[in-house]
């Protein structure tokens, strides 16, 4: 893993048409140019290939991640996307987001299989946890701490608690730790002022609007 930190990840969830992604890239791409960390866009699966071509064409400083992958390898799994199918397009995959755990019933065992599949093909997992006690599979280097109460609520966790959780996670292993949950241009600095937080996972609240996302990048400069 030779990524530059802070890692600022936009999780678009099930939002945006291709036209809208293009507009987003055309605005965030130039802003990412002067950002010293890494910008990662996680659009829905159908947009990954086109986004990859656009990034190459414009030589944009934006990396790609997927929001999930299959727990299975390639094969007879209708509707699934295997890690090996997107390994040449994405650098990252979000695994274990609370929406996947809660709305799709994903289990620790399934999440662990996903991490292994990603690792086999060289994709870095961004593994989401809700507390520092959640099970973290082997092969994870980047963790996103996202308390459910902070996701999409405007009720971000307080910096002292985020730092405490990050320290506890880092005491277990040499993890990079991101924070996610109502991150905005107004609060992002309060988490980043210590070495404990290595980046941010930004969902629908402030990653869909390219200008709000750019304001977060600017606040981190
Ligand atoms: P939010 O979502 O930024 O809208 O709170 C975070 C996430 O779901 O990863």
């Amino acid at each position: 893993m030779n990524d530059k930190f802070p890692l600022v990840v936009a999780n678009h969830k099930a939002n945006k048409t291709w036209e809208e992604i293009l507009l987003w890239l055309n605005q965030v791409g130039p802003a990412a140019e002067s950002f010293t960390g890494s910008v990662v866009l996680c659009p829905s699966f159908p947009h990954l290939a086109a986004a990859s071509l656009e990034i190459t064409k414009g030589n944009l400083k934006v990396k790609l991640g997927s929001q999930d992958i299959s727990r299975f390898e390639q094969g007879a799994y209708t509707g699934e996307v295997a890690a090996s199918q997107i390994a040449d397009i994405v650098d990252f995959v979000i695994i274990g987001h609370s929406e996947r755990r809660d709305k799709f019933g994903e289990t620790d065992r399934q999440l662990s299989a996903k991490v292994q599949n990603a690792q086999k093909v060289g994709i870095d997992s961004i593994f989401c946890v809700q507390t520092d006690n959640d099970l973290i599979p082997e092969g994870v280097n980047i963790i996103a701490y996202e308390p459910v109460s902070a996701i999409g609520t405007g009720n971000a966790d307080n910096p002292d608690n985020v730092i405490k959780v990050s320290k506890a996670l880092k005491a277990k292993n040499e993890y990079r730790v991101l924070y996610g949950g109502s991150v905005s241009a107004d609060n992002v600095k309060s988490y980043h002022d210590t070495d404990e937080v290595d980046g941010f996972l930004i969902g629908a609240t402030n990653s869909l609007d390219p200008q709000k996302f750019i304001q977060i990048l600017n606040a981190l400069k």
Side-chain angles (χ1 to χ4, degrees):
M1 194 175 53
N2 58 354
D3 304 298
K4 289 195 182 142
F5 288 84
L7 201 65
V8 184
V9 184
N11 173 13
H12 277 179
K13 310 191 178 184
N15 291 294
K16 288 196 188 285
T17 62
W18 168 243
E19 288 300 313
E20 290 165 340
I21 301 271
L22 200 53
L23 281 174
W24 192 95
L25 278 173
N26 286 338
Q27 293 182 54
V28 175
E33 206 55 44
S34 55
F35 183 61
T36 52
S38 306
V39 174
V40 182
L41 168 65
C42 301
S44 303
F45 280 125
H47 303 316
L48 280 173
S52 171
L53 289 175
E54 196 62 29
I55 287 167
T56 307
K57 194 174 91 189
N59 201 15
L60 305 179
K61 247 188 78 190
V62 176
K63 296 185 176 201
L64 287 175
S66 67
Q67 298 171 16
D68 188 27
I69 45 162
S70 180
R71 64 183 194 271
F72 301 108
E73 307 262 16
Q74 289 190 37
Y77 303 105
T78 301
E80 290 287 276
V81 176
S84 54
Q85 291 181 282
I86 52 169
D88 55 345
I89 302 179
V90 304
D91 290 309
F92 301 94
V93 54
I94 299 170
I95 294 181
H97 191 281
S98 59
E99 288 155 14
R100 300 291 323 166
R101 294 176 192 255
D102 300 346
K103 297 179 181 168
F104 300 91
E106 294 191 352
T107 63
D108 287 340
R109 209 177 146 155
Q110 292 169 350
L111 298 178
S112 183
K114 291 181 181 208
V115 169
Q116 276 175 28
N117 287 348
Q119 199 182 17
K120 270 188 216 149
V121 295
I123 302 174
D124 282 327
S125 298
I126 297 172
F127 191 80
C128 300
V129 299
Q130 296 166 32
T131 71
D132 53 283
N133 286 322
D134 292 11
L135 199 95
I136 301 167
E138 287 277 313
V140 168
N141 295 313
I142 306 172
I143 294 179
Y145 163 59
E146 295 206 311
V148 174
S149 61
I151 296 178
T153 57
N155 191 15
D157 201 359
N158 77 66
D160 289 346
N161 193 50
V162 172
I163 288 162
K164 198 174 100 198
V165 171
S166 181
K167 277 189 176 155
L169 289 166
K170 288 181 182 200
K172 296 183 197 216
N173 211 329
E174 283 182 23
Y175 297 126
R176 292 289 198 156
V177 178
L178 316 184
Y179 168 66
S182 298
V183 174
S184 69
D186 292 334
N187 66 23
V188 72
K189 255 314 217 185
S190 62
Y191 302 104
H192 196 245
D193 273 347
T194 73
D195 288 341
E196 299 301 334
V197 179
D198 302 295
F200 301 93
L201 181 51
I202 301 166
T205 311
N206 285 312
S207 82
L208 294 180
D209 178 340
Q211 290 308 317
K212 286 189 181 168
F213 188 75
I214 290 168
Q215 281 166 17
I216 291 175
L217 298 181
N218 288 340
L220 287 169
K221 277 181 188 163

